[in-house]
Amino acid sequence: MQIESGVSLKPFNTFGLPAVAQQLVRIGGDADVRRVVDHPQLGRAPKFILGGGSNIILTRDMPQLVLKVEVAGRRLVEERPDAVIVEAGAGENWHAFVAWTLAQGWPGLENLALIPGTVGAAPVQNIGAYGLELKDRFESLDAVDLVTGRSVTLGASICAFGYRDSVFKHDLAGRTLITRVRFRLPRPWQPVLGYLDLERKMRESGVAAPSPQQVFDWVCAIRRAKLPDPALLGNAGSFFKNPVVTPEQCRDIIGRDPEVVHYPLPDGSVKLAAGWLIDACGWKGKAVGGAAVYEKQALVLVNRGGAIGSEVMTLARAIQESVYGRFGIRLEPEPVVV
Ligand code: EPU
């Protein structure tokens, strides 16, 4: 096992924020995790699990031992009449995995195309886009307990998936390292087209019964038009969660701002578009140092060059205060702030 010291994390987080890991170990499989757990010093050290670094904001150097997950591999597990089960190593790039499943003739993940990050990070925040969430296609995952070194297989109920949320952000945070994830792709394939942007694509193209590849291409086009490519402009996707309010709160806001974008949820509560709220407060294009609000989508903060974590957080807090001042709503950051 190689222990690297003084490793710059700048290339390992999509926001491109500077931070140094005192110690870093690359994890290629369960055995690597066990070597760390059994190590006389590293075994008991606090640990931070790093995936694709697409959902973290680094505000300081890392005193913890950083475990960089690089578990590779993807395979067909089982073809059943009602579903195809596929598996990928936690270190696989998410988008490349989605494209691979389509190329194999196993559709079902196309709405989640182009989401940055790794397969192993996907369950942690239950990634979602265009009417589909990871939990809708989840079968099970393998993980290693960082205290006992035991390998476990976890099903959906233990993972406790919620909106951009799971047990891995709470009870199991820093406690389990996900090594492999399995997905259930239902047969026959049914497109998920309810999302407004996709309905618009359907209308504009005149395609009434799109193929999986067509949906994949639409999702990629919608994302490319709205969201910055982290390879060109550092970012961590949506910076805030879309807040959920009571119908009374929503009516109150509509009374003052009839345009507010809102979606009623099955349980009677209402989800508001945080991007709209931030936009309405005039934040698009505003900056603190190298950190700025993306011009095309106010929900995304970007690194215009040389941003540091404290600038990102100063900007984020100013946005939170102004949205609270105008709408009485507290926005919650979506990425993990370290
Ligand atoms: N809007 C504005 N101004 C803005 C931004 C948005 O008026 O500056 C309005 C839009 O016009 C639209 C509404 O707000 O009517 C919602 O915007 P959009 O459809 O782009 O989706 P979103 O709520 O901003 C969420 C997810 C995204 C996901 C998309 C598509 C969250 C926090 N974000 O964004 O996820 O890709 O829906 O499903 O739930 C991510 O989590 O990192 C992410 C990018």
Side-chain angles (χ1 to χ4, degrees):
M1 177 175 64
Q2 202 187 336
I3 306 167
E4 300 170 47
S5 355
V7 181
S8 164
L9 297 176
K10 200 169 174 175
F12 300 149
N13 73 100
T14 61
F15 217 109
L17 298 170
V20 172
Q22 229 166 60
Q23 291 186 306
L24 180 144
V25 171
R26 293 169 196 263
I27 301 296
D30 297 36
D32 288 339
V33 184
R34 271 190 285 279
R35 273 192 275 276
V36 169
V37 173
D38 292 340
H39 190 277
Q41 280 94 46
L42 301 186
R44 263 177 290 173
K47 298 172 187 70
F48 181 83
I49 302 161
L50 181 64
S54 60
N55 203 45
I56 52 168
I57 300 300
L58 297 173
T59 62
R60 57 178 172 84
D61 290 340
M62 285 278 194
Q64 308 97 311
L65 169 67
V66 174
L67 301 176
K68 187 165 184 300
V69 182
E70 297 185 345
V71 184
R74 34 195 199 201
R75 68 180 181 105
L76 172 70
V77 177
E78 192 187 354
E79 278 196 81
R80 300 198 304 235
D82 63 332
V84 175
I85 312 295
V86 287
E87 179 188 275
E92 292 285 335
N93 174 272
W94 173 261
H95 177 71
F97 171 62
V98 172
W100 175 78
T101 54
L102 274 191
Q104 303 299 310
W106 305 322
L109 296 174
E110 54 285 343
N111 291 49
L112 305 179
L114 225 55
I115 295 181
T118 53
V119 168
V124 176
Q125 57 154 339
N126 182 28
I127 58 169
Y130 310 105
L132 191 75
E133 286 185 339
L134 170 128
K135 73 169 171 52
D136 303 321
R137 298 286 180 264
F138 181 80
E139 173 76 4
S140 60
L141 60 78
D142 298 336
V144 187
D145 187 302
L146 289 174
V147 176
T148 62
R150 274 200 11 225
S151 295
V152 287
T153 295
L154 307 178
S157 59
I158 288 178
C159 294
F161 295 119
Y163 167 54
R164 295 296 188 277
D165 202 30
S166 74
V167 72
F168 306 104
K169 280 190 166 183
H170 303 282
D171 295 3
L172 296 184
R175 168 81 200 242
T176 27
L177 185 142
I178 297 168
T179 48
R180 273 172 296 275
V181 186
R182 281 171 294 278
F183 299 87
R184 185 175 359 96
L185 310 177
R187 278 178 159 175
W189 175 76
Q190 301 259 339
V192 177
L193 297 167
Y195 201 84
L196 205 70
D197 286 341
L198 282 173
E199 279 177 4
R200 193 175 302 132
K201 285 277 181 204
M202 257 172 83
R203 265 201 317 278
E204 282 167 11
S205 64
V207 176
S211 66
Q213 185 64 41
Q214 178 68 82
V215 178
F216 177 89
D217 290 343
W218 282 340
V219 168
C220 290
I222 295 166
R223 289 189 78 92
R224 287 200 173 103
K226 272 196 187 176
L227 298 166
D229 176 354
L232 305 173
L233 194 63
N235 74 88
S238 299
F239 198 91
F240 297 102
K241 291 187 191 180
N242 285 329
V244 176
V245 299
T246 62
E248 295 74 42
Q249 277 175 300
C250 187
R251 268 196 297 276
D252 180 48
I253 295 172
I254 291 174
R256 287 177 285 137
D257 288 277
E259 313 273 83
V260 64
V261 178
H262 59 286
Y263 318 93
L265 297 178
D267 68 356
S269 58
V270 185
K271 191 183 262 191
L272 304 178
W276 186 92
L277 301 173
I278 300 166
D279 196 4
C281 293
W283 279 100
K284 268 184 188 161
K286 296 266 168 64
V288 171
V293 180
Y294 190 50
E295 274 91 354
K296 292 190 214 164
Q297 160 63 294
L299 193 52
V300 179
L301 303 190
V302 296
N303 183 352
R304 280 188 183 160
I308 55 172
S310 60
E311 292 170 346
V312 179
M313 293 315 293
T314 302
L315 178 59
R317 274 190 285 272
I319 293 170
Q320 283 170 313
E321 274 168 32
S322 92
V323 167
Y324 185 71
R326 173 155 169 194
F327 298 104
I329 287 169
R330 290 187 197 283
L331 292 181
E332 216 184 295
E334 198 271 314
V336 176
V337 179
V338 186

